[in-house]
Amino acid sequence: MRHFEQELDQLRTTLIRMASLVDEQIDAGVRAILQADSALARRVMERDKEVDMFDNDIDHLCMKILALTQPVAIDLRLLMAALKINNELERIGDIAVNLAERVEPLLPHAAFVKQTRIGEMADAARMMVKQAIDAFVNSDANLARSVLEADDRIDALDAENFRRMIDAMKSTPENILPGAHMMIISRHIERLADHATNIAEDVIFIINARIIKHHADEHRKS
């Protein structure tokens, strides 16, 4: 039993390390866009291999625990959720790469980029990811629910960015290229928030043994 608990602790620790890495990747990807830093963007793309290594390690560890032990109840839910959280974190890592890939075409449009609210939106989405992971670490269902509630703000910022970019592209033809890139970036960040809500839903599943597919229902029952 002690060996089993050590492996679960190792699983939690590895997930936390992966979460820290993908948060660094998102931070660097957004800074590369806002600061027109192509060298930083390249580092983000290079470090994606580290994210993939974590992804493989966590998958193998979960499979090993499932194959060699017979976890029940909350331990089984932890393993099931860990596999899903690992997948969400890997996709967040992919978003960081997607952001980095937008840096090069936006280099001539640094002034336009700084006029958007992408930085504010990215900070809010990153906070959602951080709180979702904190909820996992501390088994805090209330914090997980607060992540679900924060998703509405990201959706509103994404819609606002879309409207602003449309207006900017209509007013000046030179804004069409950077505006199109910024709309895609905004959508990537909106997806980042979606991954955070998925992690929060997994945390609630671990703690309360409840599957939440439509978290608005969960809010009404709270």
Side-chain angles (χ1 to χ4, degrees):
M1 179 62 69
R2 179 172 176 77
H3 179 66
F4 174 64
E5 292 173 353
Q6 288 175 340
E7 289 191 321
L8 288 181
D9 286 342
Q10 180 185 352
L11 175 60
R12 292 188 187 93
T13 299
T14 308
L15 275 169
I16 293 167
R17 290 176 60 200
M18 183 180 184
S20 177
L21 173 59
V22 298
D23 179 64
E24 291 174 10
Q25 286 283 86
I26 289 293
D27 176 54
V30 173
R31 283 192 292 113
I33 291 169
L34 296 178
Q35 298 171 10
D37 191 335
S38 56
L40 182 57
R42 285 194 296 271
R43 287 200 292 274
V44 170
M45 290 184 274
E46 290 166 0
R47 291 195 75 188
D48 190 52
K49 294 178 182 177
E50 297 178 40
V51 177
D52 292 340
M53 289 175 62
F54 271 116
D55 180 32
N56 290 332
D57 288 347
I58 291 168
D59 272 352
H60 290 157
L61 185 54
C62 287
M63 293 300 102
K64 176 185 174 184
I65 295 172
L66 284 168
L68 299 180
T69 65
Q70 294 180 322
V72 295
I74 191 169
D75 291 332
L76 181 58
R77 295 201 301 276
L78 171 62
L79 288 170
M80 294 171 61
L83 285 167
K84 294 177 64 180
I85 291 172
N86 181 42
N87 183 58
E88 301 297 339
L89 292 175
E90 193 273 335
R91 291 185 178 184
I92 290 172
D94 288 343
I95 288 174
V97 173
N98 292 337
L99 295 175
E101 290 174 343
R102 298 285 164 181
V103 172
E104 198 70 31
L106 284 170
L107 289 178
H109 308 282
F112 180 89
V113 171
K114 291 179 179 178
Q115 295 174 6
T116 69
R117 297 183 68 183
I118 286 297
E120 177 186 349
M121 183 179 176
D123 287 344
R126 283 183 60 215
M127 180 57 67
M128 288 177 64
V129 175
K130 181 181 183 302
Q131 290 180 337
I133 295 301
D134 286 347
F136 169 72
V137 172
N138 299 311
S139 298
D140 190 336
N142 289 330
L143 182 57
R145 291 189 184 93
S146 73
V147 173
L148 305 184
E149 294 166 358
D151 190 44
D152 290 340
R153 182 188 175 200
I154 302 298
D155 290 341
L157 284 169
D158 182 42
E160 180 182 342
N161 280 329
F162 185 87
R163 290 193 298 271
R164 285 188 175 199
M165 293 305 100
I166 291 295
D167 290 342
M169 288 187 285
K170 284 181 177 179
S171 65
T172 308
E174 287 76 12
N175 290 335
I176 292 176
L177 179 61
H181 282 295
M182 295 308 293
M183 289 169 68
I184 293 171
I185 288 169
S186 182
R187 188 49 50 90
H188 282 318
I189 295 173
E190 190 271 336
R191 288 297 302 149
L192 173 63
D194 287 344
H195 292 307
T197 62
N198 290 342
I199 293 172
E201 291 169 358
D202 292 333
V203 171
I204 293 171
F205 169 68
I206 294 171
I207 299 169
N208 296 333
R210 295 184 61 185
I211 298 175
I212 304 172
K213 292 185 178 179
H214 305 289
H215 53 73
D217 295 339
E218 176 66 15
H219 297 165
R220 287 194 290 271
K221 293 174 183 175
S222 299

